[in-house]
């Protein structure tokens, strides 16, 4: 029995299988416990409410795969909503121009952090923490109050519903799923994706292999900043407002979704598709608490904390199992 357990731990699909099994089990328990829980609309509501988190988590997945971390994404999201609201409401810019502008700002912000991390050999934690404070502070330079968005295109996209087998999703869900498909392609079918995995596995080895480590790192953080800005656009559709306090702590939710989705915090291993299951689990926990009606929303954080501990332990056991298997193979050879 222990031998089977060890072989499972050594499997590269172990955490991904656990995540999917946990997702199905949680949904099954909710369906038994609460009337109306077992429906397509409940599942689609998870995507509607967490489309912005999925997009942020996609960018975070690439950063963690490369062996880094990005703590600025929640603040970049808030800054995006503030810039969008200000340009739309006070300067009356065309909405498509506003969206293009904030996406460029987000990508440029991330690229600057990536350049600082690589060329000045600074810790990603410190650089992105500074980016978090900078972006959040810039929100309050624009306005200390919430700015309501009543631009017709934003209102239309906020209220639009797209039918799916008798249920519906919002346009934000379609955008998030397209980003997920693009990210899967980038990670698993392009030279850029292979370089990200190689750098996360061992940066020195990646250098010796002749990979463009500096360019890849800058692009990874630029992509994360772009995803954070796109998430800010989706959040603007969702809330129809810009506010400096939007998305506080979202960067931690994104990290939690990535880890629960099966990506190793040490980098070099993980699946972008697994991030979707991590986001769905976080959304499902919130939905279960909402259906219960008697529990405080703080139970969401408690359950997520417990799950993170469990998945971090599973990752550690996986790495130990892989090390033992490697040593055994070397001894046989």
């Amino acid at each position: 029995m222990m031998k089977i357990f060890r072989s499972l731990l050594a499997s590269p699909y172990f955490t991904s299988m656990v995540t999917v099994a946990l997702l199905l089990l949680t949904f099954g328990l909710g369906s038994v416990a609460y009337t109306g829980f077992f429906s397509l609309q409940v599942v689609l509501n998870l995507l509607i409410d967490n489309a912005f988190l999925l997009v942020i988590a996609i960018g975070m997945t690439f950063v963690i795969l490369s062996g880094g971390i990005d703590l600025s994404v929640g603040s970049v999201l808030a800054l995006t909503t503030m810039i969008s609201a200000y340009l739309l409401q006070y300067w009356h810019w065309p909405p498509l121009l506003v969206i293009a502008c904030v996406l460029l700002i987000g990508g440029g912000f991330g690229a600057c952090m990536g350049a600082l991390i690589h060329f000045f050999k600074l810790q990603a934690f410190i650089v992105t923490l500074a980016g978090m404070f900078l972006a959040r502070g810039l929100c309050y330079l624009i306005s200390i109050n919430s700015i309501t968005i009543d631009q017709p295109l934003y209102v239309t996209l906020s209220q639009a519903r797209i039918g799916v087998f008798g249920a519906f999703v919002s346009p934000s869900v379609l955008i998030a799923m397209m980003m997920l498909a693009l990210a899967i392609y980038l990670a698993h079918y392009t030279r850029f994706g292979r370089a990200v995995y190689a750098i996360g596995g061992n940066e020195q080895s990646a250098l010796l292999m002749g990979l463009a480590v500096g360019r890849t790192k800058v692009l990874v953080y630029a992509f994360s900043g772009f995803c954070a800005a796109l998430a800010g656009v989706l959040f603007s559709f969702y809330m129809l407002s810009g506010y400096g306090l939007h998305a506080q702590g979202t960067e931690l939710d994104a990290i939690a979704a990535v880890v629960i989705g099966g990506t190793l915090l040490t980098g070099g291993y993980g699946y972008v598709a697994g991030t979707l299951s991590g986001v769905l689990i976080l959304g499902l926990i919130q939905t279960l608490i909402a259906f219960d009606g008697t529990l405080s929303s703080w139970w969401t954080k408690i359950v997520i904390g417990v799950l993170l501990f469990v998945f971090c332990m599973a990752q550690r056991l996986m790495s130990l199992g892989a090390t033992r298997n490697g040593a055994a193979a070397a001894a046989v050879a």
Side-chain angles (χ1 to χ4, degrees):
M1 194 70 178
M2 284 299 294
K3 192 173 181 180
I4 296 173
F5 182 66
R6 284 175 184 169
S7 65
L8 281 173
L9 282 177
S11 169
Y13 307 105
F14 177 71
T15 52
S16 299
M17 291 188 297
V18 170
T19 303
V20 173
L22 181 62
L23 179 63
L24 295 175
L25 176 63
T26 306
F27 188 76
L29 291 174
S31 301
V32 171
Y34 305 110
T35 304
F37 194 89
F38 187 77
S39 68
L40 177 60
Q41 190 58 59
V42 169
V43 176
L44 295 180
N45 283 344
L46 297 179
L47 292 172
I48 293 171
D49 294 336
N50 294 284
F52 73 93
L53 178 59
L54 175 58
V55 173
I56 277 191
I58 287 168
M60 186 69 75
T61 303
F62 278 81
V63 173
I64 293 177
L65 282 173
S66 71
I69 200 76
D70 190 352
L71 300 178
S72 69
V73 290
S75 298
V76 172
L77 184 156
L79 180 61
T80 299
T81 66
M82 286 298 291
I83 293 174
S84 299
Y86 191 84
L87 293 178
L88 289 168
Q89 299 302 119
Y90 294 103
W91 288 11
H92 306 291
W93 280 25
L96 295 181
L97 180 59
V98 169
I99 292 172
C101 179
V102 294
L103 291 179
L104 284 173
I105 290 172
F109 192 85
C112 289
M113 291 191 298
L116 286 172
I117 290 166
H118 177 71
F119 295 110
F120 291 90
K121 307 302 178 187
L122 300 175
Q123 291 292 327
F125 178 88
I126 297 300
V127 173
T128 58
L129 182 66
M132 179 182 76
F133 287 127
L134 174 61
R136 192 69 70 173
L138 289 173
C139 292
Y140 295 106
L141 283 182
I142 297 171
S143 175
I144 60 172
N145 300 313
S146 175
I147 302 175
T148 301
I149 298 174
D150 59 11
Q151 204 283 329
L153 178 62
Y154 274 62
V155 173
T156 299
L157 290 173
S158 174
Q159 297 174 350
R161 296 292 180 264
I162 301 167
V164 179
F165 301 113
F168 64 85
V169 295
S170 65
S172 295
V173 173
L174 298 185
I175 295 171
M177 297 310 291
M178 286 190 288
M179 275 301 299
L180 180 64
L182 173 63
I184 291 171
Y185 173 76
L186 287 175
H188 302 295
Y189 300 100
T190 66
R191 183 179 297 178
F192 168 71
R194 289 190 290 272
V196 170
Y197 277 93
I199 292 168
N202 190 310
E203 186 173 330
Q204 293 304 314
S205 296
L207 281 169
L208 293 173
M209 291 165 60
L211 296 177
V213 171
R215 183 177 65 189
T216 303
K217 273 191 171 182
V218 172
L219 287 175
V220 163
Y221 283 92
F223 183 67
S224 179
F226 175 86
C227 287
L230 180 58
V233 173
L234 300 185
F235 201 77
S236 299
F237 297 157
Y238 187 70
M239 298 294 291
L240 286 179
S241 68
Y243 191 31
L245 291 177
H246 277 333
Q248 284 192 315
T250 300
E251 58 278 348
L252 303 181
D253 290 335
I255 294 170
V258 173
V259 173
I260 292 172
T263 300
L264 291 181
L265 273 172
T266 51
Y269 172 80
Y271 301 97
V272 178
T275 300
L276 173 62
S277 60
V279 170
L280 289 177
I281 283 180
L282 298 190
L284 195 55
I285 292 168
Q286 294 173 336
T287 303
L288 283 170
I289 290 171
F291 263 80
D292 183 270
T294 61
L295 295 174
S296 166
S297 60
W298 286 107
W299 275 99
T300 303
K301 302 296 183 185
I302 294 170
V303 176
I304 291 171
V306 172
L307 281 177
L308 271 177
F309 275 123
V310 171
F311 275 85
C312 285
M313 284 296 298
Q315 288 186 1
R316 181 58 181 162
L317 291 172
M318 273 181 63
S319 62
L320 288 174
T323 302
R324 286 193 187 116
N325 284 352
V332 170

